Amino acid sequence: MGKKVLVVDDDQSLLKLIESAFKSKGYEVVSLSKGNDAMNYLKDESNVNSLSLLVLDRMLPDIEGVEILKFFYEKYQGKVPVIILSSLSSEKDVMEGLSKGATDYLTKPFNVEVLLQKAEKITR
Amino acid sequence: MIDYHLLTLFLIGEAFILLFLMGMIVFHRIFRSFSDRVIAKKKDQFSQYYLSLIESKKPFSVQEHPKVGGNEKILLETIEEFKQRIGGELWYSIQKGVVDSFLISLARKRAKSFFWIKRNFSSRVFALKAYPEDEETILKLMDDKKFLVRSPASFASVYLESQRGVMKLVQTIKNEYGYSQFIYLDALIQGSEKVFQYLIDIAKDPLYHKIILKVLAARSWGRVIPFLESNFNSGDPEVRFLSLKVLMRNPLPNTSEHFFKGVLEQDVGIRALSLEGIGAYPTDQSSAILEKALNDSVWEVRLSAGKALKRLGQLGINILCRQKEGVALEVAKYVLVFG
């Protein structure tokens, strides 16, 4: 079975692009556009057990991506790597994301190929 | 005596005006929702095309592009939205293709328009892609009386690496106040190596020296800033303060020395900033200086020392935890909880 990735982003076009990029590399993709849905998905340990990677947008309309990250890291202790996507590019924001448990941090605008490369390395 | 006939006519007239206004509001709402749907549909059409190009890694082609047909503003908005999200060579080539094929000639025409909305369109297009022959137009747009025209034009001048544009921007930062300054600073911060060299040259003029320091302090340029060393001997505490800020992101071979010296300064801002800088050098000397600064007479300085200690990790946390009394204990407790 291929690697499974959960992508959470409220930007539908970007979500679709990331989804198809991952699919083209053989990943199984679960796409969610709401923070609450992502939270519910991640609360179920059986879902997390089958995940290889979480790609999380930092700014979601209903919950802050960082809150999801915090919950995820506290519950699963870095069991699954996380890549944060964000338009917040200051050093402070990047440091905050990494300190709360993200494995990597990509600032928008980003190159989808770079995201795939990072995902490939992290999930190897 | 009351003229009831005239009064009735007046009331009927008022009722008509009211009905007319209500009708206009209803019409406007219907028209608006219709036009919003048309705009969303067109945007979606453009977006789908660009997404398909990126997905299939195909180059831009004018023939395959959805018809623009007078929807240049929607096209511009779509491109701007993509620019916020997607990067990489492929996207930049698509963006260039769209601007060259559909937007730049219109932008050149609209730059001289009487209507600021049209001039704003021009500036925004130039901020996506501009050519050396557009430099004069962009410089004029930078002088526009509308901020929404001036600001995108400023970004355009930086992308174009226009020396005159950069100079104009620095002058504008000096002359404008408030929020707008940040937009111009932001434009300069995104500058290339060439823009960095212009800034270094402009900094020779004492009139603009502090402004340039503010710009340099906001980014790691990966170059040694030539005048920084001598700035620490300046008699102006603001120059020394700003130079320390630059040093935080653009180190010199003897960076730590400047921070250690800064701790002994009278100026509160310099002391606080120097302690923050010292926090990046985890040595016994740094820890001792930071611990001593927890007893500084100024809260801002004590707080900076406390935060720097916390950033040192377990060693710094142990120092904070061993504080027993007075202001040092107060700041240690604060930093351990909130810092």
Side-chain angles (χ1 to χ4, degrees):
Chain A
M1 204 176 79
K3 294 171 190 169
K4 189 172 173 184
V5 55
L6 170 64
V7 186
V8 188
D9 200 315
D10 61 316
D11 182 337
Q12 292 292 344
S13 306
L14 193 60
L15 191 63
K16 192 173 161 261
L17 180 68
I18 296 171
E19 187 182 333
S20 79
F22 272 111
K23 278 183 178 166
S24 73
K25 293 278 174 190
Y27 285 82
E28 188 187 336
V29 185
V30 180
S31 304
L32 297 172
S33 58
K34 286 184 184 157
N36 276 318
D37 292 346
M39 205 68 149
N40 290 333
Y41 185 90
L42 294 171
K43 275 177 188 165
D44 186 341
E45 204 162 346
S46 62
N47 287 333
V48 175
N49 286 337
S50 63
L51 272 185
S52 302
L53 176 68
L54 167 61
V55 177
L56 183 64
D57 181 22
R58 187 174 167 152
M59 293 206 288
L60 295 162
D62 47 354
I63 313 181
E64 276 277 319
V66 171
E67 289 306 310
I68 299 174
L69 178 66
K70 205 175 149 199
F71 157 79
F72 186 67
Y73 192 72
E74 278 169 10
K75 187 161 183 194
Y76 301 105
Q77 301 292 321
K79 192 172 170 184
V80 176
V82 183
I83 297 179
I84 293 274
L85 301 176
S86 176
S87 331
L88 303 173
S89 58
S90 75
E91 283 154 20
K92 194 181 155 219
D93 294 313
V94 177
M95 292 296 283
E96 192 193 358
L98 293 173
S99 69
K100 293 221 163 122
T103 318
D104 211 330
Y105 195 104
L106 263 180
T107 54
K108 295 180 187 177
F110 67 94
N111 189 337
V112 181
E113 288 300 315
V114 173
L115 173 66
L116 289 177
Q117 282 291 330
K118 282 181 185 269
E120 199 63 29
K121 277 201 166 180
I122 289 171
T123 58
R124 200 170 277 169
Chain B
M1 194 175 149
I2 302 167
D3 186 341
Y4 286 104
H5 180 66
L6 195 66
L7 195 62
T8 314
L9 278 176
F10 184 71
L11 283 172
I12 290 169
E14 259 196 345
F16 267 115
I17 291 169
L18 202 64
L19 280 171
F20 174 74
L21 286 175
M22 282 168 71
M24 287 297 285
I25 290 168
V26 171
F27 174 75
H28 179 261
R29 292 221 167 155
I30 293 169
F31 177 76
R32 187 67 198 260
S33 91
F34 174 74
S35 73
D36 282 353
R37 257 182 282 163
V38 171
I39 290 170
K41 199 175 161 191
K42 201 70 200 168
K43 254 190 188 176
D44 196 44
Q45 204 183 351
F46 292 141
S47 298
Q48 290 307 321
Y49 172 67
Y50 302 137
L51 285 173
S52 72
L53 287 185
I54 297 167
E55 274 172 33
S56 56
K57 293 178 189 162
K58 271 170 66 182
F60 168 79
S61 148
V62 187
Q63 287 78 30
E64 288 171 22
H65 193 279
K67 277 190 179 174
V68 178
N71 290 307
E72 284 84 1
K73 191 170 168 260
I74 301 170
L75 180 62
L76 174 60
E77 281 170 12
T78 313
I79 294 287
E80 285 175 333
E81 281 167 18
F82 265 76
K83 194 189 162 202
Q84 299 288 324
R85 301 175 291 185
I86 312 282
E89 285 306 310
L90 178 60
W91 168 247
Y92 297 133
S93 72
I94 295 170
Q95 182 181 300
K96 181 181 177 298
V98 175
V99 172
D100 288 351
S101 311
F102 304 109
L103 299 173
I104 196 111
S105 57
L106 190 63
R108 284 171 184 151
K109 269 187 219 160
R110 288 188 173 182
K112 289 169 197 153
S113 171
F114 173 76
F115 302 103
W116 74 267
I117 292 275
K118 292 190 176 181
R119 296 197 304 276
N120 165 266
F121 174 90
S122 290
S123 287
R124 284 161 62 193
V125 172
F126 288 135
L128 290 172
K129 179 77 194 150
Y131 291 92
E133 60 262 37
D134 299 314
E135 188 178 12
E136 284 304 324
T137 313
I138 291 168
L139 290 173
K140 274 186 194 147
L141 289 169
M142 284 174 78
D143 286 329
D144 200 280
K145 56 182 184 293
K146 285 278 180 190
F147 175 71
L148 291 176
V149 177
R150 290 198 304 273
S151 53
S154 305
F155 279 88
S157 76
V158 172
Y159 294 145
L160 196 60
E161 300 175 328
S162 156
Q163 190 166 11
R164 285 190 292 158
V166 170
M167 186 65 215
K168 202 182 258 280
L169 253 173
V170 173
Q171 286 165 341
T172 314
I173 292 171
K174 189 162 171 52
N175 298 331
E176 288 202 26
Y177 293 95
Y179 172 72
S180 60
Q181 278 207 352
F182 293 102
I183 301 282
Y184 298 126
L185 278 171
D186 205 28
L188 284 174
I189 289 162
Q190 293 179 26
S192 63
E193 178 92 356
K194 214 169 172 182
V195 171
F196 170 78
Q197 279 306 329
Y198 296 151
L199 292 172
I200 298 295
D201 286 342
I202 298 169
K204 287 173 192 157
D205 187 338
L207 202 61
Y208 304 117
H209 192 76
K210 288 180 192 173
I211 291 168
I212 303 299
L213 286 176
K214 281 182 192 169
V215 179
L216 296 176
R219 184 178 135 183
S220 302
W221 295 85
R223 294 254 170 244
V224 172
I225 293 158
F227 47 78
L228 204 55
E229 188 71 54
S230 57
N231 270 7
F232 292 108
N233 299 320
S234 165
D236 184 346
E238 198 185 349
V239 169
R240 296 200 302 278
F241 175 77
L242 289 171
S243 300
L244 275 176
K245 279 194 127 181
V246 177
L247 194 64
M248 302 279 275
R249 286 172 187 258
N250 301 279
L252 291 170
N254 55 345
T255 297
S256 58
E257 277 176 36
H258 293 296
F259 289 131
F260 287 125
K261 271 189 205 164
V263 175
L264 306 170
E265 287 254 14
Q266 286 288 310
D267 187 280
V268 171
I270 295 179
R271 284 213 307 278
L273 197 61
S274 300
L275 290 164
E276 193 184 328
I278 284 176
Y281 298 87
T283 61
D284 290 344
Q285 190 192 2
S286 318
S287 318
I289 290 172
L290 291 170
E291 186 170 12
K292 194 180 165 199
L294 290 175
N295 284 298
D296 195 282
S297 58
V298 182
W299 165 255
E300 187 187 336
V301 178
R302 295 198 296 273
L303 183 63
S304 182
K307 284 183 174 175
L309 276 169
K310 198 175 176 186
R311 271 199 304 277
L312 284 182
Q314 199 51 52
L315 170 72
I317 290 171
N318 291 343
I319 293 173
L320 288 168
C321 289
R322 74 182 179 213
Q323 300 310 308
K324 292 274 181 283
E325 59 189 12
V327 288
L329 176 64
E330 179 195 41
V331 75
K333 276 184 177 173
Y334 180 88
V335 168
L336 286 168
V337 178
F338 302 109

